[in-house]
Amino acid sequence: MKKLRGFAAAFFVALGLSAAPASSATLPAGFTEVSYTGLSSPTAMAVASDGRIFVCQQGGKLRVIKNGVLLSAAFVTLTVDQTGERGLLGVALDPNYVSNQFVYLYYTVPGSPAHNRLSRFTGNGDVAVAGSEVILLELNNLSSATNHNGGALHFGLDGKIYIAVGENANPSNAQTLNNLLGKILRLNSDGSIPDDNPFVGNPPPARHEIWTLGHRNPFSFGIQPFTGRIFVNDVGQNTWEEIDDEIAGLNYGWPTCEGPFLQGTSTPCNNPLYTDPFTYYGHTGSPTPCAVTGGDFYNPQVPQFPADYVGNYFFADYCGNFIKRINLDTQVVTAFATGINAPVDIDVDDYGNLYYLARGSGAVYKVTYTGSNAPVITQDPLSQLISTGFPVTFTVAASGAAPLSYQWQKNSADISGANLPSYTLASVVLGDDGDQYRCIVSNAFPPAATSAQAILNVTTNQPPTATISTPPPGTTYKGGDTVVYSGSGFDPETGALPASALTWWVNFHHDNHIHPFVPPTSGSTTGSFMIPVLGETSPTVWYRIHLLVVDPFGLTNET
């Protein structure tokens, strides 16, 4: 039998299983969860502002969990083709759901051939109004392959609905504009095509619904509140799972590339036509990961998780049975939950709760933070490469009952007086090369928490310098303005650095916190971004442009 990787590999196996009893995941200290059980082959969910949870069952029923109870009557029951990975696969609630009660569904219409459809339904309380279906989009006919349908739906901050569509196990679909398969689509809420979609100017048969292309099976994705940033979880084939930072009109490389590599090899893709994933991971570990199948940003209106979780992106793997989170600034990935029975979706509500949908357990789980007395390391110190004569600082972050005590160690021996969350060496020497630093955090509640070791690497090469030429510091702006930035890098040993050594990103600063605005972008000495019209008048709203340069020796500098 041909080996089908990603959601296809695990999904058809799971179809032959009855739902297992719901069992708790292993969560970090201070977190707890409750489960809502009784679902049959769930595929996706959406959490309403009133706390109700709408859950798709593959067989065609949209179920509602209300006040912790799975209602017996389905919101709507559709006739679907549920062969393989087909069926009722996606749900989204209109941004104005409270007033219009619109629910959007993505499902497979039976037929010879079958096809996927996007429809809108109108609710009346906990059920849909009979006959209220409005068909918004009929997708291309499907081949005999029943896998790679995608199906996730979300509304962006622009009020448009984004639709993830798999390539139906036909890789060439992902690279043509002449069909909707292997793409992320973008529509107005009434199903019409926005005038600013990136391919609107292409003549037929190009499809103007397309937002991005080059996807294999984008089974799930998340949209970040406040910024509108979109991360798409694209299920890989044999080697890599990838999370793509979506930008209109870009091509994410499938089937030429899987992860950042040429498909089926360890050779970097390095093709200017394609965009590498924001992050990726391989099929290694126990249990072995196989499909990235859920994701959402932790940016609720009312955060309840510890501060270092805010702004992180949570993602799940179907076979790895885990949820992990990634810090968008550092791109450091941290384990969050294990022991989940086939997770397929993640959602964060306005009040800071995280929900995950476990297909293997037939249950939705609600994760809350209750606090922890014992200390827990939330960010390990990072290994660093530093030039002789320069300072180096190692930093640890921890949660737990105050007050927290810190003790830094060098090569597992206590450093006298090193009792703060950060430890700094004022000037490194070659003799420091290879030293290992860690921190032990304790409080009145045992056990103490010990961070991972960070290695100090020392070199005689000197670091490069980064210079931002434009705009000058203190430049003012208004909504709708386009900001053009430019800069350069210089290395003392090799001279002027090429554009490939420069990486730009922009953060939006709002009150006392930040939101990523322009994602890290490499390979250019200049770029631009448009200031959105937010109606924000606070003088504490501003943007910071960052430039990172990397020299041939791996040394970096940032301005």
Side-chain angles (χ1 to χ4, degrees):
M1 178 183 293
K2 181 179 178 181
K3 191 175 186 181
L4 298 176
R5 268 293 175 186
F7 195 54
F11 201 41
F12 71 79
V13 174
L15 291 175
L17 302 177
S18 58
S23 57
S24 296
T26 300
L27 299 166
F31 289 86
T32 188
E33 65 180 18
V34 295
S35 62
Y36 310 121
T37 60
L39 297 162
S40 175
S41 299
T43 55
M45 66 178 170
V47 181
S49 59
D50 61 12
R52 287 181 298 166
I53 310 168
F54 291 76
V55 185
C56 297
Q57 294 187 159
Q58 188 180 359
K61 290 185 177 183
L62 182 66
R63 305 294 301 276
V64 177
I65 299 170
K66 184 176 182 180
N67 298 324
V69 176
L70 178 65
L71 302 183
S72 57
F75 180 86
V76 68
T77 300
L78 304 175
T79 300
V80 302
D81 178 346
Q82 58 178 312
T83 309
E85 294 175 16
R86 299 174 178 177
L88 177 55
L89 303 176
V91 56
L93 305 179
D94 194 277
N96 299 311
Y97 175 76
V98 173
S99 59
N100 62 29
Q101 300 286 296
F102 288 163
V103 178
Y104 299 77
L105 298 177
Y106 178 106
Y107 66 96
T108 311
V109 180
S112 297
H115 68 279
N116 289 311
R117 170 185 289 169
L118 173 68
S119 285
R120 186 186 73 206
F121 298 80
T122 302
N124 179 19
D126 300 319
V127 297
V129 175
S132 65
E133 180 176 13
V134 176
I135 298 172
L136 302 181
L137 180 66
E138 303 279 21
L139 283 83
N140 300 92
N141 288 336
L142 298 171
S143 70
S144 58
T146 62
N147 52 321
H148 299 185
N149 290 278
L153 305 174
H154 292 286
F155 275 90
L157 300 190
D158 53 9
K160 314 301 183 186
I161 188 168
Y162 292 77
I163 308 110
V165 185
E167 35 81 301
N168 190 210
N170 183 345
S172 64
N173 283 332
Q175 288 300 319
T176 178
L177 294 177
N178 296 346
N179 68 47
L180 303 177
L181 308 180
K183 318 293 192 311
I184 302 298
L185 313 179
R186 177 178 181 256
L187 297 176
N188 295 316
S189 60
D190 62 1
S192 61
I193 298 172
D195 292 337
D196 60 346
N197 269 10
F199 301 107
V200 163
N202 291 52
R207 298 298 299 262
H208 297 166
E209 299 93 338
I210 296 171
W211 181 248
T212 61
L213 67 158
H215 293 290
R216 183 175 181 266
N217 188 23
F219 183 74
S220 59
F221 65 98
I223 299 182
Q224 187 175 38
F226 312 118
T227 71
R229 193 176 188 181
I230 302 174
F231 272 15
V232 167
N233 306 314
D234 201 0
V235 176
Q237 183 163 282
N238 294 317
T239 311
W240 302 108
E241 302 302 308
E242 66 182 60
I243 298 174
D244 297 322
D245 193 349
E246 297 287 308
I247 298 174
L250 293 189
N251 186 327
Y252 292 85
W254 177 258
T256 302
C257 307
E258 181 187 2
F261 305 104
L262 291 173
Q263 205 269 118
T265 76
S266 57
T267 304
C269 208
N270 285 343
N271 189 322
L273 297 176
Y274 304 137
T275 300
D276 284 345
F278 179 83
T279 192
Y280 61 97
Y281 63 92
H283 298 162
T284 59
S286 180
T288 304
C290 76
V292 56
T293 51
D296 202 5
F297 293 89
Y298 192 79
N299 288 102
Q301 294 182 19
V302 185
Q304 61 165 271
F305 289 9
D308 65 292
Y309 284 78
V310 177
N312 284 195
Y313 182 74
F314 285 81
F315 63 94
D317 189 276
Y318 188 85
C319 302
N321 298 336
F322 63 68
I323 294 175
K324 295 184 179 182
R325 60 186 176 101
I326 181 169
N327 182 302
L328 304 192
D329 295 323
T330 64
Q331 292 190 273
V332 172
V333 175
T334 305
F336 178 70
T338 57
I340 301 169
N341 194 350
V344 290
D345 203 1
I346 295 174
D347 206 347
V348 175
D349 70 14
D350 293 340
Y351 307 101
N353 303 297
L354 182 144
Y355 300 77
Y356 67 85
L357 181 60
R359 180 179 174 86
S361 299
V364 172
Y365 292 79
K366 177 182 179 181
V367 179
T368 58
Y369 182 71
T370 58
S372 173
N373 289 325
V376 176
I377 301 295
T378 57
Q379 180 177 323
D380 289 305
L382 301 177
S383 296
Q384 299 186 57
L385 173 64
I386 303 295
S387 300
T388 54
F390 281 78
V392 63
T393 297
F394 297 100
T395 301
V396 70
S399 62
L404 296 174
S405 298
Y406 300 85
Q407 177 60 63
W408 284 92
Q409 294 185 332
K410 172 184 174 181
N411 300 327
S412 300
D414 288 353
I415 303 172
S416 177
N419 305 119
L420 298 174
S422 295
Y423 174 68
T424 299
L425 286 173
S427 179
V428 303
V429 298
L430 280 177
D432 297 324
D433 185 52
D435 286 343
Q436 298 183 351
Y437 293 83
R438 69 181 184 185
C439 188
I440 298 175
V441 183
S442 59
N443 60 9
F445 302 91
T450 302
S451 75
Q453 297 274 17
I455 301 174
L456 173 59
N457 297 290
V458 182
T459 178
T460 56
N461 292 310
Q462 295 302 290
T465 56
T467 302
I468 296 178
S469 304
T470 57
T475 299
T476 58
Y477 63 86
K478 63 180 182 300
D481 285 353
T482 296
V483 176
V484 177
Y485 55 84
S486 63
S488 60
F490 181 84
D491 179 60
E493 287 81 18
T494 62
L497 293 171
S500 59
L502 278 62
T503 298
W504 299 89
W505 68 96
V506 180
N507 286 333
F508 169 48
H509 291 248
H510 179 224
D511 291 333
N512 60 353
H513 60 279
I514 66 172
H515 306 286
F517 187 70
V518 175
T521 305
S522 303
S524 177
T525 60
T526 186
S528 65
F529 61 94
M530 189 179 76
I531 303 293
V533 180
L534 299 177
E536 176 64 71
T537 58
S538 167
T540 58
V541 174
W542 49 285
Y543 294 81
R544 173 172 285 172
I545 300 171
H546 297 257
L547 172 60
L548 173 73
V549 296
V550 183
D551 72 11
F553 310 101
L555 293 167
T556 64
N557 206 341
E558 179 187 333
T559 188

